[in-house]
Amino acid sequence: MRIWLLVFLLMLAEQANAGEQQNFQEWLHELKADSLREGISKQTVEATFKQAKLLPRVIQLDRSQPEFISTFLSYLERRVTPDVIARGRDLLLQYQPLLDDVESEYGVPKHILVSFWGMETNYGGFQGDIDLPSALMTLAYEGRRAVFFRNQLFNMMRIVDARHNTIQKMRGSWAGAMGHMQFMPTTFMQYGVDADKDGRINIWKSLPDAFNSAANYLAKAGWHANEPVMVQVSLPEGFDVSQAQLTLRRSVKDWQQLGVYVPSHLDHLNNAAILLPQGWRGPALMVFSNFDVIMDWNRSVNYALAVAHLSEQLVGVADIAIEDNVETEALSFNEMWALQGRLNELGFPAGPPDGFPGLKTQEAVRMYQAKYQLPQDGYASPSLYQHVFSH
């Protein structure tokens, strides 16, 4: 009986998949017509749609949620390893003449570019192997960000029309990023640079093109030459940790007047915020305007801090100092979701639960901490979780 039930369920799954594939093919017919109306050549459109496939794995990756929310320190431990640092230092020396030229042209330090390179593709070692046309079509069909991915697909075909690459070689991440620096097609169209002057912008194999394109992006996003991204600072006893927020900016001198120790050579900087990415027991990091530029590249605070940290390690800056009493454990995705719901129930608006500790959740945590006279760092830690569900 159980075998027949299993067979029946498999038949239903196959029928559902067949129906989905048919719907996808009908949807592709309209998308193909739209592509031609966008002015993309018939040859490129035909080549693109000839290999189109619905990729259920891409939809699964887009919808999947992590089991645990990475803490800052665990993220650093996983991404900025001794091997990654050593490899990056070797590559800094190996490509120093090229990187010096790029830095001179755009004002973006070579160790920052190499750090992005390491974070994005392990220095070009893994640029993604998914068929980009099918991935972008699948994501546009799935519908969560349909307009965005339709535009990425159209621009990917324009890249092919301009002979920068062929459809057959368009491979990258499941989300559509490609090349050494993982540019989306629209980013490629806006910031790509043919640095080696061969008539192609080849961010897949040409390091001059990849580095110059990335530096062009960062420069146009507002990179400040000769300014740091971040620095570790010391907070005075009794410091009001509710002021440690990305959106709260002061001059370095104003922070110093509040007792924060900042190296004196940074006194002239005006757009400084303090972050406590591991809570009030963890390291205090001051970030500046160039941190905002990295956030323009990727909206993850942990990612931006990791880029900054790796870039510093590449040139021998001291590692981040960590106190012994720092809380290192992470909440699971489900625990974070439950915490957000509970905060809402208690009258601390965290927004619709989504399992991620964004700015609204941080503010709700601060409000809760203020009520119970806890350090107002906005950090959703396991100890805070226990406190919330025991009151």
Side-chain angles (χ1 to χ4, degrees):
M1 186 70 178
R2 290 179 180 176
I3 294 176
W4 282 108
L5 178 60
L6 178 60
V7 170
F8 177 69
L9 291 174
L10 288 173
M11 289 176 59
L12 287 179
E14 289 177 2
Q15 290 173 2
N17 183 59
E20 189 73 16
Q21 291 286 350
Q22 182 177 351
N23 291 338
F24 179 65
Q25 292 301 321
E26 293 172 357
W27 176 85
L28 280 183
H29 183 74
E30 295 297 324
L31 182 63
K32 186 175 181 179
D34 290 343
S35 301
L36 292 169
R37 283 191 286 268
E38 286 286 324
I40 299 163
S41 72
K42 184 176 180 180
Q43 179 182 1
T44 294
V45 171
E46 291 294 338
T48 302
F49 282 77
K50 181 179 180 180
Q51 65 183 50
K53 295 179 182 177
L54 181 67
L55 302 178
R57 174 65 175 157
V58 167
I59 296 176
Q60 181 183 351
L61 288 167
D62 186 50
R63 292 177 179 175
S64 66
Q65 305 294 354
E67 182 179 356
F68 287 92
I69 308 299
S70 283
T71 66
F72 167 63
L73 292 178
S74 66
Y75 186 86
L76 277 194
E77 184 179 11
R78 188 172 71 252
R79 300 299 304 273
V80 187
T81 66
D83 287 345
V84 168
I85 295 168
R87 175 73 173 142
R89 288 174 176 170
D90 290 342
L91 291 169
L92 264 176
L93 292 175
Q94 182 178 346
Y95 294 106
Q96 183 174 346
L98 168 59
L99 290 162
D100 282 344
D101 289 344
V102 176
E103 182 172 345
S104 177
E105 175 72 20
Y106 297 98
V108 179
K110 51 184 170 287
H111 57 284
I112 290 289
L113 290 173
V114 172
S115 180
F116 271 108
W117 189 24
M119 288 289 293
E120 290 293 343
T121 62
N122 193 23
Y123 307 113
F126 186 72
Q127 300 182 23
D129 59 2
I130 292 178
D131 176 56
L132 285 184
S134 294
L136 293 171
M137 289 173 184
T138 297
L139 290 166
Y141 173 75
E142 186 263 348
R144 191 168 68 88
R145 291 181 288 167
V147 173
F148 174 79
F149 285 111
R150 280 171 64 93
N151 288 334
Q152 297 301 325
L153 176 68
F154 294 151
N155 279 319
M156 188 211 67
M157 287 188 280
R158 292 184 179 105
I159 291 169
V160 173
D161 262 355
R163 301 184 184 279
H164 298 302
N165 207 343
T166 65
I167 282 295
Q168 291 73 25
K169 294 180 180 179
M170 279 288 193
R171 305 191 74 80
S173 77
W174 66 266
M178 55 194 186
H180 278 278
M181 297 299 198
Q182 293 293 276
F183 272 23
M184 294 298 288
T186 297
T187 306
F188 179 104
M189 296 290 291
Q190 292 176 324
Y191 302 105
V193 176
D194 176 19
D196 56 18
K197 308 298 182 185
D198 67 351
R200 295 176 58 205
I201 301 171
N202 187 352
I203 62 171
W204 300 268
K205 294 189 175 181
S206 168
L207 286 179
D209 288 6
F211 289 151
N212 278 268
S213 296
N216 186 40
Y217 177 104
L218 294 168
K220 289 182 176 173
W223 190 269
H224 291 231
N226 303 315
E227 289 189 12
V229 176
M230 76 173 187
V231 65
Q232 186 166 6
V233 297
S234 297
L235 305 180
E237 189 75 25
F239 179 79
D240 178 6
V241 294
S242 70
Q243 297 182 74
Q245 302 183 44
L246 183 60
T247 55
L248 199 163
R249 301 299 175 106
R250 289 192 172 99
S251 69
V252 168
K253 288 183 178 179
D254 285 344
W255 285 118
Q256 289 171 329
Q257 288 177 0
L258 293 173
V260 179
Y261 172 75
V262 189
S264 59
H265 69 279
L266 302 175
D267 289 356
H268 63 289
L269 298 177
N270 294 312
N271 187 33
I274 294 174
L275 300 181
L276 300 173
Q278 196 78 26
W280 65 276
R281 293 188 180 96
L285 304 173
M286 182 171 284
V287 298
F288 307 96
S289 295
N290 286 335
F291 185 81
D292 301 331
V293 176
I294 298 177
M295 289 283 288
D296 190 79
W297 182 297
N298 185 315
R299 297 304 301 173
S300 165
V301 169
N302 280 352
Y303 174 91
L305 290 172
V307 167
H309 178 59
L310 175 56
S311 72
E312 290 182 343
Q313 296 304 292
L314 295 179
V315 293
V317 174
D319 204 350
I320 294 173
I322 309 297
E323 298 292 335
D324 292 337
N325 66 342
V326 63
E327 193 169 2
T328 58
E329 294 79 11
L331 292 183
S332 71
F333 177 83
N334 289 335
E335 286 172 334
M336 188 68 71
W337 188 293
L339 176 64
Q340 291 168 324
R342 183 60 177 159
L343 288 170
N344 285 331
E345 291 173 3
L346 295 173
F348 306 102
D354 62 2
F356 294 98
L359 292 178
K360 195 152 190 165
T361 299
Q362 293 170 32
E363 185 56 33
V365 169
R366 284 193 187 91
M367 293 168 63
Y368 179 90
Q369 291 168 329
K371 177 177 179 178
Y372 288 97
Q373 299 182 326
L374 303 172
Q376 297 172 49
D377 58 6
Y379 185 59
S381 64
S383 61
L384 178 99
Y385 179 88
Q386 293 298 327
H387 195 281
V388 168
F389 281 93
S390 63
H391 284 75

